[in-house]
Amino acid sequence: MTEKILIFDFGSQYTQLIARAVREANVYCEIIPFHKEVVFEPGLKGIILSGSPCSVNEENAPDVNVQEFIQNVPVLGICYGAQLTAKRFGGLVAKSNKREYGRAILQRKKDDVLLKDVSTESQVWMSHSDTIKELPKGFELLADTDSIPVAAFKMNESIEYIHPLYGVQFHPEVYHSKEGKTILFNFLKNICGCSQDWTPAHFITDTVAALKQQIGNRKVIMALSGGVDSTVAATLIHQAIGDNLYGIFVDNGVLRKNEFQSVLSIYNKLGLNIKGIDAKERFYTQLSGKSDPETKRKIIGSLFIDIFQEEAKKIEGVELLGQGTIYPDVIESVSVHGPSVTIKSHHNVGGLPEHLHLELVEPLRNLFKDEVRKVGRELGIPAEMIDRHPFPGPGLAIRILGEITPEKVHLCQEADYIYIQHLKDTGLYATVWQAGAILLPVKSVGVMGDERTYEYTIALRAVTSVDGMTADWAHLPYDFLADISNSIINNVRGINRVVYDISSKPPATIEWE
């Protein structure tokens, strides 16, 4: 059984960072809302209590039974989790007299396994308005700072509880806590006894075995997009059931240049049972005359569902639907203050589950994006697919502003191809989160040779980001931009002007529509 750490979420903005830090230590963990009942199964090695925007002294403040937890496994409370722990055992938690936000210096007062290899004075990150004024009876102070009397503590081992209990009133999971990862490592390795064997290879072995058990001899149908998540999910399912996985890849007419053929070629090399559907003309017909972004999105999504359903009916006995849902999709869909809700509709491929009424198969639902890429590399999926930038579901339809026509698609594809290829050739592609060309619905005057031209404008977009939630425009070299502009104008008849988008998100968005 896979070892596991449970992270109880009280609504902190940093909860996902705790999970990322635990995963980086090769320990599997799950985030669950604080109100969910915990099952103390054999693989559970420890519990971490997250921070929260709430005060432990508020009426109806989030609460868990820490006393019950430490009868079964070690517990670490972080910020709110530490304050809740102190209050539950009789300590005093009250509003702080000082602003406790930002960097502080942790001063170690006692040697302990939690602070092993941590400097006597170490920078940490604070973010709270309450503070622990007095520790409960039988608790020991491990560290303080200049502004707070209790920065780290533990329950005295002489108290009659079976497992260790610790609390830190700062955030070890954030970048600004310089030795925070060491503290978490000590909790995982030296206190919980985790073996740290949760690797991509381990995940693949466990997941394929679980898929075989879930699916058996049944058939799975799956929509593939050429993206990282769906490709890795399909490869895992294929390893479990072979050609009982039926993949559908639809050319909606707004893919990148040569993408339909190149993606199908990679899928064939991976041995996947994939059917390519050339539906360009159907999409162009329905998109004709439509310029509103949301209308274009709905047309593409609806027609995709129709085509997928048509293909699904041709396969007898399909009972399951494969999807590339990943962990952030799942976390964002769970309410901390109430029961969990369904996955956001935009995370489901075209809303297919609601239409097909099939049992879901989601082998990646416990992985973060970077973990999906690591698993993909372990599976031998080519780097050109694993490392590709995010690409919107509606494709170039939202990068061609205004009405979609085959001619405009051709212009956007050609310009985009030159742009992306130059990024790859110069080694800049890997430094950018997402890049693409946008065809603007305006024409301008130009001069080429002795001729006057009146042609379209292409806007180039490139951003740097960690997760796409916020993004900054990529500071690409001027020489590179000059080369790109010349290449596009000289090689794509119909474009005579190239501009570069230097807007950040927020206030702008990454895509233009």
Side-chain angles (χ1 to χ4, degrees), residues 52 59 147 256 314 356 380 403 459:
S52 174
E59 188 177 356
S147 60
R256 284 177 161 162
K314 297 176 185 177
L356 298 179
E403 183 183 357

Side-chain angles (χ1 to χ4, degrees), residues 172-183:
E173 69 275 17
V174 304
Y175 169 79
H176 300 295
S177 292
K178 295 299 186 184
E179 296 176 289
K181 299 286 179 68
T182 302
I183 293 170

Side-chain angles (χ1 to χ4, degrees), residues 66-67 70 85 89 137-140 153-161 163-167:
V66 184
Q67 286 90 336
I70 57 173
T85 298
F89 283 86
K137 184 179 179 181
F139 281 57
E140 299 179 52
F153 63 84
K154 74 171 184 176
M155 176 183 281
N156 194 302
E157 293 164 5
S158 65
I159 296 180
E160 293 183 3
Y161 283 94
H163 295 281
L165 174 60
Y166 285 87

Side-chain angles (χ1 to χ4, degrees), residues 65-339:
N65 191 342
V66 184
Q67 286 90 336
E68 179 193 8
F69 290 175
I70 57 173
Q71 293 284 5
N72 295 276
V73 293
V75 173
L76 170 66
I78 293 176
C79 201
Y80 179 92
Q83 294 165 356
L84 176 63
T85 298
K87 182 179 179 181
R88 263 192 159 264
F89 283 86
L92 176 62
V93 179
K95 283 287 181 190
S96 175
N97 298 325
K98 301 177 182 178
R99 180 176 178 271
E100 292 170 359
Y101 180 83
R103 294 174 179 83
I105 300 299
L106 184 74
Q107 299 166 343
R108 184 154 48 86
K109 296 300 180 184
K110 184 174 182 178
D111 290 332
D112 186 85
V113 64
L114 183 71
L115 302 179
K116 183 176 181 289
D117 298 324
V118 175
S119 306
T120 305
E121 295 190 345
S122 181
Q123 178 182 294
V124 295
W125 184 261
M126 299 284 183
S127 180
H128 56 265
S129 55
D130 286 352
T131 195
I132 300 170
K133 300 276 191 180
E134 295 176 14
L135 280 173
K137 184 179 179 181
F139 281 57
E140 299 179 52
L141 178 69
L142 299 180
D144 63 12
T145 73
D146 287 339
S147 60
I148 61 171
V150 179
F153 63 84
K154 74 171 184 176
M155 176 183 281
N156 194 302
E157 293 164 5
S158 65
I159 296 180
E160 293 183 3
Y161 283 94
I162 299 173
H163 295 281
L165 174 60
Y166 285 87
V168 293
Q169 213 175 182
F170 55 89
H171 288 276
E173 69 275 17
V174 304
Y175 169 79
H176 300 295
S177 292
K178 295 299 186 184
E179 296 176 289
K181 299 286 179 68
T182 302
I183 293 170
L184 289 171
F185 172 88
N186 287 335
F187 177 71
L188 297 170
K189 177 71 174 178
N190 301 323
I191 296 171
C192 296
C194 295
S195 56
Q196 297 179 280
D197 62 354
W198 195 70
T199 62
H202 186 145
F203 172 82
I204 291 168
T205 302
D206 286 356
T207 301
V208 170
L211 287 169
K212 286 179 179 178
Q213 186 171 2
Q214 178 190 0
I215 299 168
N217 295 320
R218 295 182 293 171
K219 295 176 182 177
V220 179
I221 192 169
M222 185 171 185
L224 289 138
S225 65
V228 177
D229 300 337
S230 66
T231 301
V232 174
T235 305
L236 285 166
I237 296 170
H238 179 261
Q239 285 207 358
I241 64 170
D243 286 350
N244 268 355
L245 169 66
Y246 294 80
I248 307 295
F249 179 43
V250 177
D251 185 351
N252 57 15
V254 283
L255 301 176
R256 284 177 161 162
K257 181 181 178 180
N258 299 330
E259 186 168 15
F260 186 60
Q261 295 81 5
S262 63
V263 167
L264 279 178
S265 175
I266 292 174
Y267 285 155
N268 287 330
K269 288 177 183 175
L270 291 170
L272 300 181
N273 177 23
I274 302 296
K275 183 177 181 180
I277 309 295
D278 183 350
K280 291 193 293 290
E281 295 308 320
R282 291 179 66 178
F283 281 91
Y284 290 154
T285 299
Q286 291 208 17
L287 288 167
S288 178
K290 306 296 190 299
S291 58
D292 176 69
E294 193 58 28
T295 301
K296 290 190 290 186
R297 287 176 183 272
K298 287 179 178 176
I299 288 171
I300 291 171
S302 177
L303 182 52
F304 174 82
I305 290 172
D306 290 345
I307 293 169
F308 192 86
Q309 284 181 309
E310 290 168 12
E311 294 302 320
K313 289 176 182 175
K314 297 176 185 177
I315 306 167
E316 189 176 338
V318 170
E319 296 182 38
L320 301 104
L321 174 70
Q323 285 202 156
T325 309
I326 62 174
Y327 203 38
D329 305 339
V330 177
I331 297 168
E332 290 169 11
S333 303
V334 176
S335 169
V336 170
H337 299 290

Side-chain angles (χ1 to χ4, degrees), residues 41-55:
E41 54 195 5
L44 183 59
K45 302 293 287 185
I47 288 174
I48 297 176
L49 310 177
S50 82
S52 174
C54 304
S55 164

